Amino acid sequence: MHIKRAKEEIRNTIRAYLMKDEFGQYVIPSVRQRPVLLIGPPGIGKTAIMEQVARECGIALVSYTITHHTRQSAVGLPFIEHKTYNGQEHAVTEYTMSEIIASIYEKMEQTGLKEGILFIDEINCVSETLAPAMLQFLQCKTFGNRKIPEGWLIAAAGNPPEYNKSVRDFDVVTLDRVKKIDVTEDYSVWKEYAYEQGIHSSILTYLEIKRENFYEIETTLDGKRFVTARGWEDLSQILYTYEKLSISVDEDLIVQYLQHRGIAKDFAAYYDLYNKYKYDYKIDDILKGVISRNALEKLWQAPFDERLSVLGLLIGRLNELFTDVMERDAFVSEFYEVLIDYREQLEQAQEKLSESAEAAESAEAEKDSVLARRAAIDMLTRMIERRNQELEDKKEAGLINRMEERCSRRVLSELEAKEHLLLTADCDTASESFAMIKAGFNRETAGLEEQTEQVSQALEYAFDFVEKAFGEDQELVVFITELSLSYYAIRFISDNGCTRYYRYNKTLLSGEQQKEILQQIEELKKSSL
């Protein structure tokens, strides 16, 4: 199965294993909770889906690459314990707790999460001395004489023997005790993930033209030559960074990530073309409503690969705009929650101060004003400290993704700026303190509305260009399809609408495609309510 289906299967397995009855006991007892064993080629996302599933299910994750361990670190060190049997004392060999088991308990203490996944990577590549311990681990859920805590799912991953000479085959006894999932690479599935992760549009456009170059592992007289999904994703990150730093990208850089000289050379040539198209067709101008006649005439005469590349540039830039809006929207939503929390705390503090003022003489009024200001600042300081600790706890537990972390840090930065402002400003009442915080929120809300309107207009301009350049030919179908594959595009359209997208979706795509996309939009609408 492909990696997306494997992720769904693991998520369902977790839900089933962690289901409890009316007495608080797990419905499926630990002895029947088979470890999940993922077997598939390297670099297709086996480790990544474990991180995603743990975060989405709100449980902890402890991850180990077992080839980095010795028998002693996995099982524990022996020591002599003296015990009495039938009135006679005997020296008995015991073992210290396994480093791996100990790390589970440490994770539970650090995060407060009592349930989680213990993920062991490269499990079928262990050393000869550690192999028996791994078989025992899969069969009995123990390392040495220590069991995995209840509520923890065991998951493991390995590569098929054709990809790794160190692979050891599991016997039938072991395989009969695991839930084995064979995973294969699949570009169409990875593409959905790539859009959500913001993979560089040059990569997505290139792979749309050269799908056969998405994943390749071969052995030659000169050694291994390979390209993996992991390689493309890491290359995407370095491309973005080099572009920001104005550092040139060439074949020598690309082959460090795509370790197949032929594919690296081919992509390097395409990347140069991609940047040329970006300059020739002036994508940013198109999204501002400036469409040159020269660009249209050039595109009319261009081969299909070039047309596809221009569409890729257009989609890529739109996705950047959609992502920016969604991130700012998440920031404003979190800022709003903070604002409500702060207002409630201020109101409670003000009530206490008012009660004190009624009982005090009027000469105390000035003192009460100082107390109100001090209380407002203290509450904001405590809120910053609490939210900062919550963010670190979530990060430690793996319960927050990169966008969520950026939003939270942006909120904290805003609050810290307001804290400094309150310390220096002349605010004598709780309402004035709240108004100062709210003014920042109002600016962000207005900025979000303006940005959303600009992006909506950019989408309309993109449709103008595509209609003028291609009419209702296959390129328009590609444009609608690519928009439909992008999580952030669908999210933006579901929130803000786009008449032409819905119209073309209905007239150009198949009934099954329409049904799937519209269902996805409805689900996004419900989740945003």
Side-chain angles (χ1 to χ4, degrees), residues 60-94:
L61 174 69
V62 171
S63 180
Y64 276 94
T65 300
I66 203 63
T67 50
H68 298 166
H69 282 267
T70 64
R71 186 179 186 280
Q72 287 75 22
S73 63
V75 175
L77 292 171
F79 66 91
I80 302 300
E81 181 71 51
H82 293 277
K83 296 188 177 182
T84 302
Y85 300 114
N86 293 326
Q88 292 185 342
E89 188 176 88
H90 298 269
V92 180
T93 301
E94 293 281 0

PDB file of all heavy atoms in Angstrom, residues 60-94:
ATOM      1  N   ALA A  60       2.413  10.478  22.866  1.00  0.00           N
ATOM      2  CA  ALA A  60       3.862  10.681  22.828  1.00  0.00           C
ATOM      3  C   ALA A  60       4.515   9.785  21.782  1.00  0.00           C
ATOM      4  O   ALA A  60       3.913   8.813  21.308  1.00  0.00           O
ATOM      5  CB  ALA A  60       4.456  10.409  24.206  1.00  0.00           C
ATOM      6  N   LEU A  61       5.749  10.109  21.458  1.00  0.00           N
ATOM      7  CA  LEU A  61       6.535   9.301  20.526  1.00  0.00           C
ATOM      8  C   LEU A  61       7.963   9.200  21.032  1.00  0.00           C
ATOM      9  O   LEU A  61       8.594  10.210  21.335  1.00  0.00           O
ATOM     10  CB  LEU A  61       6.532   9.928  19.124  1.00  0.00           C
ATOM     11  CG  LEU A  61       7.440   9.250  18.077  1.00  0.00           C
ATOM     12  CD1 LEU A  61       6.900   7.879  17.712  1.00  0.00           C
ATOM     13  CD2 LEU A  61       7.593  10.125  16.834  1.00  0.00           C
ATOM     14  N   VAL A  62       8.444   7.971  21.140  1.00  0.00           N
ATOM     15  CA  VAL A  62       9.861   7.715  21.421  1.00  0.00           C
ATOM     16  C   VAL A  62      10.400   6.958  20.224  1.00  0.00           C
ATOM     17  O   VAL A  62       9.868   5.917  19.842  1.00  0.00           O
ATOM     18  CB  VAL A  62      10.046   6.891  22.706  1.00  0.00           C
ATOM     19  CG1 VAL A  62      11.500   6.459  22.863  1.00  0.00           C
ATOM     20  CG2 VAL A  62       9.606   7.706  23.924  1.00  0.00           C
ATOM     21  N   SER A  63      11.452   7.503  19.606  1.00  0.00           N
ATOM     22  CA  SER A  63      11.957   6.938  18.360  1.00  0.00           C
ATOM     23  C   SER A  63      13.422   6.570  18.486  1.00  0.00           C
ATOM     24  O   SER A  63      14.221   7.348  19.022  1.00  0.00           O
ATOM     25  CB  SER A  63      11.769   7.968  17.233  1.00  0.00           C
ATOM     26  OG  SER A  63      12.230   7.473  16.003  1.00  0.00           O
ATOM     27  N   TYR A  64      13.767   5.378  17.999  1.00  0.00           N
ATOM     28  CA  TYR A  64      15.140   4.894  18.023  1.00  0.00           C
ATOM     29  C   TYR A  64      15.493   4.258  16.684  1.00  0.00           C
ATOM     30  O   TYR A  64      14.661   3.575  16.077  1.00  0.00           O
ATOM     31  CB  TYR A  64      15.338   3.835  19.110  1.00  0.00           C
ATOM     32  CG  TYR A  64      15.618   4.402  20.485  1.00  0.00           C
ATOM     33  CD1 TYR A  64      14.584   4.598  21.395  1.00  0.00           C
ATOM     34  CD2 TYR A  64      16.909   4.725  20.867  1.00  0.00           C
ATOM     35  CE1 TYR A  64      14.833   5.117  22.648  1.00  0.00           C
ATOM     36  CE2 TYR A  64      17.173   5.239  22.127  1.00  0.00           C
ATOM     37  CZ  TYR A  64      16.136   5.432  23.009  1.00  0.00           C
ATOM     38  OH  TYR A  64      16.399   5.945  24.253  1.00  0.00           O
ATOM     39  N   THR A  65      16.724   4.490  16.239  1.00  0.00           N
ATOM     40  CA  THR A  65      17.282   3.708  15.138  1.00  0.00           C
ATOM     41  C   THR A  65      18.117   2.611  15.781  1.00  0.00           C
ATOM     42  O   THR A  65      19.165   2.887  16.370  1.00  0.00           O
ATOM     43  CB  THR A  65      18.148   4.579  14.214  1.00  0.00           C
ATOM     44  OG1 THR A  65      17.328   5.619  13.678  1.00  0.00           O
ATOM     45  CG2 THR A  65      18.721   3.755  13.074  1.00  0.00           C
ATOM     46  N   ILE A  66      17.649   1.390  15.702  1.00  0.00           N
ATOM     47  CA  ILE A  66      18.213   0.313  16.515  1.00  0.00           C
ATOM     48  C   ILE A  66      19.626  -0.063  16.100  1.00  0.00           C
ATOM     49  O   ILE A  66      20.391  -0.626  16.892  1.00  0.00           O
ATOM     50  CB  ILE A  66      17.284  -0.926  16.488  1.00  0.00           C
ATOM     51  CG1 ILE A  66      17.536  -1.798  17.723  1.00  0.00           C
ATOM     52  CG2 ILE A  66      17.434  -1.696  15.192  1.00  0.00           C
ATOM     53  CD1 ILE A  66      17.233  -1.124  19.033  1.00  0.00           C
ATOM     54  N   THR A  67      20.030   0.249  14.866  1.00  0.00           N
ATOM     55  CA  THR A  67      21.381  -0.103  14.437  1.00  0.00           C
ATOM     56  C   THR A  67      22.445   0.696  15.194  1.00  0.00           C
ATOM     57  O   THR A  67      23.628   0.359  15.140  1.00  0.00           O
ATOM     58  CB  THR A  67      21.550   0.151  12.924  1.00  0.00           C
ATOM     59  OG1 THR A  67      21.087   1.479  12.610  1.00  0.00           O
ATOM     60  CG2 THR A  67      20.756  -0.858  12.113  1.00  0.00           C
ATOM     61  N   HIS A  68      22.020   1.749  15.893  1.00  0.00           N
ATOM     62  CA  HIS A  68      22.972   2.545  16.673  1.00  0.00           C
ATOM     63  C   HIS A  68      23.176   1.973  18.075  1.00  0.00           C
ATOM     64  O   HIS A  68      23.923   2.532  18.861  1.00  0.00           O
ATOM     65  CB  HIS A  68      22.465   3.998  16.807  1.00  0.00           C
ATOM     66  CG  HIS A  68      22.334   4.687  15.487  1.00  0.00           C
ATOM     67  ND1 HIS A  68      21.648   5.875  15.322  1.00  0.00           N
ATOM     68  CD2 HIS A  68      22.788   4.366  14.251  1.00  0.00           C
ATOM     69  CE1 HIS A  68      21.685   6.246  14.053  1.00  0.00           C
ATOM     70  NE2 HIS A  68      22.372   5.338  13.386  1.00  0.00           N
ATOM     71  N   HIS A  69      22.490   0.869  18.373  1.00  0.00           N
ATOM     72  CA  HIS A  69      22.532   0.321  19.725  1.00  0.00           C
ATOM     73  C   HIS A  69      23.285  -1.003  19.790  1.00  0.00           C
ATOM     74  O   HIS A  69      23.341  -1.772  18.828  1.00  0.00           O
ATOM     75  CB  HIS A  69      21.105   0.109  20.252  1.00  0.00           C
ATOM     76  CG  HIS A  69      20.471   1.376  20.718  1.00  0.00           C
ATOM     77  ND1 HIS A  69      20.524   1.803  22.019  1.00  0.00           N
ATOM     78  CD2 HIS A  69      19.791   2.326  20.039  1.00  0.00           C
ATOM     79  CE1 HIS A  69      19.897   2.964  22.128  1.00  0.00           C
ATOM     80  NE2 HIS A  69      19.444   3.301  20.934  1.00  0.00           N
ATOM     81  N   THR A  70      23.844  -1.229  20.974  1.00  0.00           N
ATOM     82  CA  THR A  70      24.451  -2.523  21.283  1.00  0.00           C
ATOM     83  C   THR A  70      23.448  -3.328  22.095  1.00  0.00           C
ATOM     84  O   THR A  70      22.412  -2.811  22.520  1.00  0.00           O
ATOM     85  CB  THR A  70      25.726  -2.340  22.106  1.00  0.00           C
ATOM     86  OG1 THR A  70      25.377  -1.746  23.379  1.00  0.00           O
ATOM     87  CG2 THR A  70      26.720  -1.437  21.381  1.00  0.00           C
ATOM     88  N   ARG A  71      23.779  -4.574  22.325  1.00  0.00           N
ATOM     89  CA  ARG A  71      22.903  -5.413  23.138  1.00  0.00           C
ATOM     90  C   ARG A  71      22.754  -4.836  24.546  1.00  0.00           C
ATOM     91  O   ARG A  71      21.668  -4.854  25.136  1.00  0.00           O
ATOM     92  CB  ARG A  71      23.456  -6.843  23.213  1.00  0.00           C
ATOM     93  CG  ARG A  71      22.519  -7.816  23.915  1.00  0.00           C
ATOM     94  CD  ARG A  71      23.085  -9.225  23.958  1.00  0.00           C
ATOM     95  NE  ARG A  71      22.118 -10.149  24.511  1.00  0.00           N
ATOM     96  CZ  ARG A  71      21.883 -10.301  25.808  1.00  0.00           C
ATOM     97  NH1 ARG A  71      22.567  -9.579  26.683  1.00  0.00           N
ATOM     98  NH2 ARG A  71      20.962 -11.153  26.229  1.00  0.00           N
ATOM     99  N   GLN A  72      23.834  -4.271  25.085  1.00  0.00           N
ATOM    100  CA  GLN A  72      23.799  -3.757  26.451  1.00  0.00           C
ATOM    101  C   GLN A  72      22.880  -2.538  26.582  1.00  0.00           C
ATOM    102  O   GLN A  72      22.124  -2.421  27.548  1.00  0.00           O
ATOM    103  CB  GLN A  72      25.218  -3.378  26.915  1.00  0.00           C
ATOM    104  CG  GLN A  72      26.121  -4.558  27.221  1.00  0.00           C
ATOM    105  CD  GLN A  72      26.608  -5.250  25.956  1.00  0.00           C
ATOM    106  OE1 GLN A  72      26.628  -4.653  24.883  1.00  0.00           O
ATOM    107  NE2 GLN A  72      26.981  -6.519  26.079  1.00  0.00           N
ATOM    108  N   SER A  73      22.928  -1.626  25.603  1.00  0.00           N
ATOM    109  CA  SER A  73      22.085  -0.436  25.705  1.00  0.00           C
ATOM    110  C   SER A  73      20.618  -0.766  25.482  1.00  0.00           C
ATOM    111  O   SER A  73      19.738  -0.098  26.020  1.00  0.00           O
ATOM    112  CB  SER A  73      22.542   0.629  24.696  1.00  0.00           C
ATOM    113  OG  SER A  73      22.388   0.164  23.367  1.00  0.00           O
ATOM    114  N   ALA A  74      20.342  -1.793  24.664  1.00  0.00           N
ATOM    115  CA  ALA A  74      18.957  -2.164  24.386  1.00  0.00           C
ATOM    116  C   ALA A  74      18.361  -3.019  25.495  1.00  0.00           C
ATOM    117  O   ALA A  74      17.210  -2.829  25.900  1.00  0.00           O
ATOM    118  CB  ALA A  74      18.872  -2.909  23.055  1.00  0.00           C
ATOM    119  N   VAL A  75      19.153  -3.978  25.991  1.00  0.00           N
ATOM    120  CA  VAL A  75      18.639  -4.944  26.982  1.00  0.00           C
ATOM    121  C   VAL A  75      18.934  -4.492  28.407  1.00  0.00           C
ATOM    122  O   VAL A  75      18.137  -4.703  29.321  1.00  0.00           O
ATOM    123  CB  VAL A  75      19.252  -6.339  26.724  1.00  0.00           C
ATOM    124  CG1 VAL A  75      18.835  -7.322  27.811  1.00  0.00           C
ATOM    125  CG2 VAL A  75      18.835  -6.835  25.354  1.00  0.00           C
ATOM    126  N   GLY A  76      20.068  -3.848  28.621  1.00  0.00           N
ATOM    127  CA  GLY A  76      20.491  -3.473  29.963  1.00  0.00           C
ATOM    128  C   GLY A  76      21.745  -4.233  30.356  1.00  0.00           C
ATOM    129  O   GLY A  76      22.113  -5.225  29.730  1.00  0.00           O
ATOM    130  N   LEU A  77      22.412  -3.775  31.396  1.00  0.00           N
ATOM    131  CA  LEU A  77      23.650  -4.408  31.861  1.00  0.00           C
ATOM    132  C   LEU A  77      23.353  -5.423  32.960  1.00  0.00           C
ATOM    133  O   LEU A  77      22.483  -5.196  33.812  1.00  0.00           O
ATOM    134  CB  LEU A  77      24.621  -3.349  32.385  1.00  0.00           C
ATOM    135  CG  LEU A  77      25.195  -2.392  31.332  1.00  0.00           C
ATOM    136  CD1 LEU A  77      25.957  -1.261  32.017  1.00  0.00           C
ATOM    137  CD2 LEU A  77      26.107  -3.137  30.373  1.00  0.00           C
ATOM    138  N   PRO A  78      24.083  -6.542  32.987  1.00  0.00           N
ATOM    139  CA  PRO A  78      23.848  -7.554  34.034  1.00  0.00           C
ATOM    140  C   PRO A  78      24.465  -7.129  35.373  1.00  0.00           C
ATOM    141  O   PRO A  78      25.456  -6.413  35.417  1.00  0.00           O
ATOM    142  CB  PRO A  78      24.557  -8.791  33.475  1.00  0.00           C
ATOM    143  CG  PRO A  78      25.632  -8.246  32.590  1.00  0.00           C
ATOM    144  CD  PRO A  78      25.100  -6.981  32.016  1.00  0.00           C
ATOM    145  N   PHE A  79      23.819  -7.550  36.457  1.00  0.00           N
ATOM    146  CA  PHE A  79      24.397  -7.390  37.790  1.00  0.00           C
ATOM    147  C   PHE A  79      23.935  -8.561  38.650  1.00  0.00           C
ATOM    148  O   PHE A  79      22.958  -9.251  38.323  1.00  0.00           O
ATOM    149  CB  PHE A  79      24.005  -6.037  38.415  1.00  0.00           C
ATOM    150  CG  PHE A  79      22.538  -5.892  38.719  1.00  0.00           C
ATOM    151  CD1 PHE A  79      22.007  -6.255  39.951  1.00  0.00           C
ATOM    152  CD2 PHE A  79      21.669  -5.376  37.753  1.00  0.00           C
ATOM    153  CE1 PHE A  79      20.658  -6.111  40.227  1.00  0.00           C
ATOM    154  CE2 PHE A  79      20.319  -5.238  38.012  1.00  0.00           C
ATOM    155  CZ  PHE A  79      19.812  -5.614  39.260  1.00  0.00           C
ATOM    156  N   ILE A  80      24.639  -8.807  39.730  1.00  0.00           N
ATOM    157  CA  ILE A  80      24.345  -9.948  40.600  1.00  0.00           C
ATOM    158  C   ILE A  80      23.409  -9.518  41.725  1.00  0.00           C
ATOM    159  O   ILE A  80      23.673  -8.551  42.450  1.00  0.00           O
ATOM    160  CB  ILE A  80      25.633 -10.543  41.198  1.00  0.00           C
ATOM    161  CG1 ILE A  80      26.585 -10.972  40.064  1.00  0.00           C
ATOM    162  CG2 ILE A  80      25.303 -11.726  42.104  1.00  0.00           C
ATOM    163  CD1 ILE A  80      26.019 -12.020  39.142  1.00  0.00           C
ATOM    164  N   GLU A  81      22.304 -10.236  41.848  1.00  0.00           N
ATOM    165  CA  GLU A  81      21.331 -10.012  42.918  1.00  0.00           C
ATOM    166  C   GLU A  81      21.281 -11.269  43.767  1.00  0.00           C
ATOM    167  O   GLU A  81      21.304 -12.393  43.241  1.00  0.00           O
ATOM    168  CB  GLU A  81      19.957  -9.716  42.320  1.00  0.00           C
ATOM    169  CG  GLU A  81      18.873  -9.439  43.343  1.00  0.00           C
ATOM    170  CD  GLU A  81      19.067  -8.104  44.026  1.00  0.00           C
ATOM    171  OE1 GLU A  81      19.241  -7.084  43.335  1.00  0.00           O
ATOM    172  OE2 GLU A  81      19.064  -8.098  45.273  1.00  0.00           O
ATOM    173  N   HIS A  82      21.238 -11.128  45.075  1.00  0.00           N
ATOM    174  CA  HIS A  82      21.166 -12.276  45.976  1.00  0.00           C
ATOM    175  C   HIS A  82      19.725 -12.495  46.412  1.00  0.00           C
ATOM    176  O   HIS A  82      19.061 -11.595  46.939  1.00  0.00           O
ATOM    177  CB  HIS A  82      22.065 -12.057  47.199  1.00  0.00           C
ATOM    178  CG  HIS A  82      23.528 -12.044  46.845  1.00  0.00           C
ATOM    179  ND1 HIS A  82      24.280 -13.184  46.691  1.00  0.00           N
ATOM    180  CD2 HIS A  82      24.367 -11.000  46.581  1.00  0.00           C
ATOM    181  CE1 HIS A  82      25.521 -12.868  46.362  1.00  0.00           C
ATOM    182  NE2 HIS A  82      25.600 -11.538  46.281  1.00  0.00           N
ATOM    183  N   LYS A  83      19.214 -13.731  46.140  1.00  0.00           N
ATOM    184  CA  LYS A  83      17.832 -14.067  46.475  1.00  0.00           C
ATOM    185  C   LYS A  83      17.804 -15.389  47.235  1.00  0.00           C
ATOM    186  O   LYS A  83      18.699 -16.225  47.097  1.00  0.00           O
ATOM    187  CB  LYS A  83      16.977 -14.168  45.208  1.00  0.00           C
ATOM    188  CG  LYS A  83      16.849 -12.841  44.466  1.00  0.00           C
ATOM    189  CD  LYS A  83      15.858 -12.931  43.330  1.00  0.00           C
ATOM    190  CE  LYS A  83      15.691 -11.567  42.659  1.00  0.00           C
ATOM    191  NZ  LYS A  83      14.694 -11.596  41.574  1.00  0.00           N
ATOM    192  N   THR A  84      16.769 -15.566  48.025  1.00  0.00           N
ATOM    193  CA  THR A  84      16.626 -16.781  48.828  1.00  0.00           C
ATOM    194  C   THR A  84      15.512 -17.652  48.274  1.00  0.00           C
ATOM    195  O   THR A  84      14.377 -17.197  48.090  1.00  0.00           O
ATOM    196  CB  THR A  84      16.321 -16.429  50.297  1.00  0.00           C
ATOM    197  OG1 THR A  84      17.387 -15.615  50.800  1.00  0.00           O
ATOM    198  CG2 THR A  84      16.203 -17.688  51.137  1.00  0.00           C
ATOM    199  N   TYR A  85      15.868 -18.939  47.976  1.00  0.00           N
ATOM    200  CA  TYR A  85      14.889 -19.912  47.495  1.00  0.00           C
ATOM    201  C   TYR A  85      14.977 -21.145  48.384  1.00  0.00           C
ATOM    202  O   TYR A  85      16.065 -21.707  48.587  1.00  0.00           O
ATOM    203  CB  TYR A  85      15.182 -20.305  46.037  1.00  0.00           C
ATOM    204  CG  TYR A  85      15.142 -19.144  45.071  1.00  0.00           C
ATOM    205  CD1 TYR A  85      16.295 -18.726  44.415  1.00  0.00           C
ATOM    206  CD2 TYR A  85      13.948 -18.476  44.806  1.00  0.00           C
ATOM    207  CE1 TYR A  85      16.271 -17.680  43.521  1.00  0.00           C
ATOM    208  CE2 TYR A  85      13.920 -17.410  43.913  1.00  0.00           C
ATOM    209  CZ  TYR A  85      15.079 -17.014  43.275  1.00  0.00           C
ATOM    210  OH  TYR A  85      15.047 -15.962  42.398  1.00  0.00           O
ATOM    211  N   ASN A  86      13.813 -21.586  48.928  1.00  0.00           N
ATOM    212  CA  ASN A  86      13.772 -22.771  49.804  1.00  0.00           C
ATOM    213  C   ASN A  86      14.794 -22.674  50.944  1.00  0.00           C
ATOM    214  O   ASN A  86      15.480 -23.634  51.305  1.00  0.00           O
ATOM    215  CB  ASN A  86      14.048 -24.055  49.001  1.00  0.00           C
ATOM    216  CG  ASN A  86      12.939 -24.358  48.013  1.00  0.00           C
ATOM    217  OD1 ASN A  86      11.765 -24.075  48.284  1.00  0.00           O
ATOM    218  ND2 ASN A  86      13.286 -24.920  46.868  1.00  0.00           N
ATOM    219  N   GLY A  87      14.917 -21.442  51.478  1.00  0.00           N
ATOM    220  CA  GLY A  87      15.800 -21.248  52.623  1.00  0.00           C
ATOM    221  C   GLY A  87      17.263 -21.112  52.280  1.00  0.00           C
ATOM    222  O   GLY A  87      18.094 -20.935  53.174  1.00  0.00           O
ATOM    223  N   GLN A  88      17.620 -21.183  51.011  1.00  0.00           N
ATOM    224  CA  GLN A  88      19.020 -21.052  50.613  1.00  0.00           C
ATOM    225  C   GLN A  88      19.207 -19.805  49.743  1.00  0.00           C
ATOM    226  O   GLN A  88      18.368 -19.474  48.910  1.00  0.00           O
ATOM    227  CB  GLN A  88      19.474 -22.282  49.813  1.00  0.00           C
ATOM    228  CG  GLN A  88      19.534 -23.562  50.640  1.00  0.00           C
ATOM    229  CD  GLN A  88      20.101 -24.719  49.840  1.00  0.00           C
ATOM    230  OE1 GLN A  88      20.144 -24.668  48.620  1.00  0.00           O
ATOM    231  NE2 GLN A  88      20.539 -25.757  50.528  1.00  0.00           N
ATOM    232  N   GLU A  89      20.331 -19.120  49.975  1.00  0.00           N
ATOM    233  CA  GLU A  89      20.627 -17.906  49.230  1.00  0.00           C
ATOM    234  C   GLU A  89      21.343 -18.251  47.927  1.00  0.00           C
ATOM    235  O   GLU A  89      22.247 -19.085  47.911  1.00  0.00           O
ATOM    236  CB  GLU A  89      21.500 -16.969  50.056  1.00  0.00           C
ATOM    237  CG  GLU A  89      21.686 -15.594  49.409  1.00  0.00           C
ATOM    238  CD  GLU A  89      22.477 -14.640  50.278  1.00  0.00           C
ATOM    239  OE1 GLU A  89      23.721 -14.662  50.162  1.00  0.00           O
ATOM    240  OE2 GLU A  89      21.855 -13.899  51.073  1.00  0.00           O
ATOM    241  N   HIS A  90      20.912 -17.596  46.851  1.00  0.00           N
ATOM    242  CA  HIS A  90      21.512 -17.840  45.535  1.00  0.00           C
ATOM    243  C   HIS A  90      21.896 -16.509  44.894  1.00  0.00           C
ATOM    244  O   HIS A  90      21.215 -15.495  45.087  1.00  0.00           O
ATOM    245  CB  HIS A  90      20.527 -18.562  44.612  1.00  0.00           C
ATOM    246  CG  HIS A  90      20.120 -19.917  45.109  1.00  0.00           C
ATOM    247  ND1 HIS A  90      20.790 -21.073  44.776  1.00  0.00           N
ATOM    248  CD2 HIS A  90      19.080 -20.280  45.921  1.00  0.00           C
ATOM    249  CE1 HIS A  90      20.198 -22.104  45.353  1.00  0.00           C
ATOM    250  NE2 HIS A  90      19.151 -21.644  46.050  1.00  0.00           N
ATOM    251  N   ALA A  91      22.998 -16.538  44.145  1.00  0.00           N
ATOM    252  CA  ALA A  91      23.384 -15.372  43.334  1.00  0.00           C
ATOM    253  C   ALA A  91      22.661 -15.470  42.005  1.00  0.00           C
ATOM    254  O   ALA A  91      22.787 -16.463  41.286  1.00  0.00           O
ATOM    255  CB  ALA A  91      24.898 -15.357  43.126  1.00  0.00           C
ATOM    256  N   VAL A  92      21.880 -14.432  41.681  1.00  0.00           N
ATOM    257  CA  VAL A  92      21.045 -14.440  40.475  1.00  0.00           C
ATOM    258  C   VAL A  92      21.430 -13.266  39.585  1.00  0.00           C
ATOM    259  O   VAL A  92      21.636 -12.147  40.071  1.00  0.00           O
ATOM    260  CB  VAL A  92      19.545 -14.350  40.844  1.00  0.00           C
ATOM    261  CG1 VAL A  92      18.680 -14.347  39.584  1.00  0.00           C
ATOM    262  CG2 VAL A  92      19.147 -15.488  41.768  1.00  0.00           C
ATOM    263  N   THR A  93      21.497 -13.535  38.273  1.00  0.00           N
ATOM    264  CA  THR A  93      21.795 -12.458  37.318  1.00  0.00           C
ATOM    265  C   THR A  93      20.531 -11.659  37.015  1.00  0.00           C
ATOM    266  O   THR A  93      19.516 -12.212  36.586  1.00  0.00           O
ATOM    267  CB  THR A  93      22.350 -13.041  35.998  1.00  0.00           C
ATOM    268  OG1 THR A  93      23.533 -13.792  36.277  1.00  0.00           O
ATOM    269  CG2 THR A  93      22.692 -11.921  35.025  1.00  0.00           C
ATOM    270  N   GLU A  94      20.590 -10.361  37.272  1.00  0.00           N
ATOM    271  CA  GLU A  94      19.514  -9.441  36.905  1.00  0.00           C
ATOM    272  C   GLU A  94      20.067  -8.453  35.880  1.00  0.00           C
ATOM    273  O   GLU A  94      21.275  -8.421  35.615  1.00  0.00           O
ATOM    274  CB  GLU A  94      19.010  -8.686  38.147  1.00  0.00           C
ATOM    275  CG  GLU A  94      18.318  -9.560  39.170  1.00  0.00           C
ATOM    276  CD  GLU A  94      16.895  -9.886  38.790  1.00  0.00           C
ATOM    277  OE1 GLU A  94      16.447  -9.421  37.724  1.00  0.00           O
ATOM    278  OE2 GLU A  94      16.231 -10.616  39.554  1.00  0.00           O
TER     279      GLU A  94
END
